[in-house]
Amino acid sequence: MYAEFSDNLVTGNEMIDSQHKELIEKINGLERSCETNAELSVAVKMLNYLADYTDFHFSEEEKLQEEIEYPGMEEHKKQHQEFKQAIEELHEMLEEQEGPTKEFSEQLNKRVTEWLYRHIQGFDRSVAEYRNMRSNSELI
Ligand SMILES: [Fe+2]
């Protein structure tokens, strides 16, 4: 199942939102390799793109949280670690199963896509709101 960036994923922070769109593109690149029964090497390449972009995106988000002195930063970082761990486990699964199986696609959907939706709607939205609140109070 392909992931989709819909309105309920908007946090209101332009940088975060545009990076989430890119992240979803990367997830779909990997999903495409499942749907088309691609070779292991192709799927691994897609998974690596996703892993690299995830690292970039999480570090950008964490930098923003430091800048605004976001109080929930530690808990948020733990969530990011959990996601990275899921990606590593997917990598192992891909190698073990010698390619993107149906089971792999299900795990991708559950541990990456659905996780990301929940994370964005809770954790990331809360960072964006905190940032808005701070910049509004600085204007007063
Ligand atoms: Fe996040």
Side-chain angles (χ1 to χ4, degrees), residues 61 76 80 119 124:
E61 263 192 20
H76 200 131
H80 286 173
H119 178 80
D124 291 343

Side-chain angles (χ1 to χ4, degrees), residues 39-56:
E39 283 176 26
L40 173 65
S41 63
V42 174
V44 166
K45 197 163 85 181
M46 293 301 151
L47 185 60
N48 286 339
Y49 287 154
L50 173 61
D52 288 348
Y53 196 76
T54 298
D55 286 349
F56 165 73

Side-chain angles (χ1 to χ4, degrees), residues 29-90:
L30 182 56
E31 175 61 18
R32 202 167 301 119
S33 75
C34 301
E35 306 263 345
T36 58
N37 291 317
E39 283 176 26
L40 173 65
S41 63
V42 174
V44 166
K45 197 163 85 181
M46 293 301 151
L47 185 60
N48 286 339
Y49 287 154
L50 173 61
D52 288 348
Y53 196 76
T54 298
D55 286 349
F56 165 73
H57 168 61
F58 284 172
S59 71
E60 290 289 295
E61 263 192 20
E62 287 167 14
K63 233 186 281 168
L64 171 69
Q65 291 177 45
E66 268 167 43
E67 273 166 29
I68 62 173
E69 295 167 328
Y70 180 65
M73 197 160 63
E74 282 315 307
E75 185 55 31
H76 200 131
K77 271 190 185 167
K78 271 187 213 154
Q79 292 281 315
H80 286 173
Q81 273 314 114
E82 196 184 293
F83 186 86
K84 287 190 192 184
Q85 180 66 31
I87 289 192
E88 265 176 46
E89 284 169 25
L90 280 177

Side-chain angles (χ1 to χ4, degrees), residues 70 72 75-76 79 118-128:
Y70 180 65
E75 185 55 31
H76 200 131
Q79 292 281 315
R118 273 198 310 276
H119 178 80
I120 292 175
Q121 287 169 339
F123 285 81
D124 291 343
R125 196 169 277 165
S126 144
V127 173

Side-chain angles (χ1 to χ4, degrees), residues 1 4 18 44 50 67 69 91 98 100-101 114 118 126:
M1 201 196 298
E4 200 190 328
S18 66
V44 166
L50 173 61
E67 273 166 29
E69 295 167 328
H91 196 163
E98 296 169 358
T101 58
E114 284 178 10
R118 273 198 310 276
S126 144

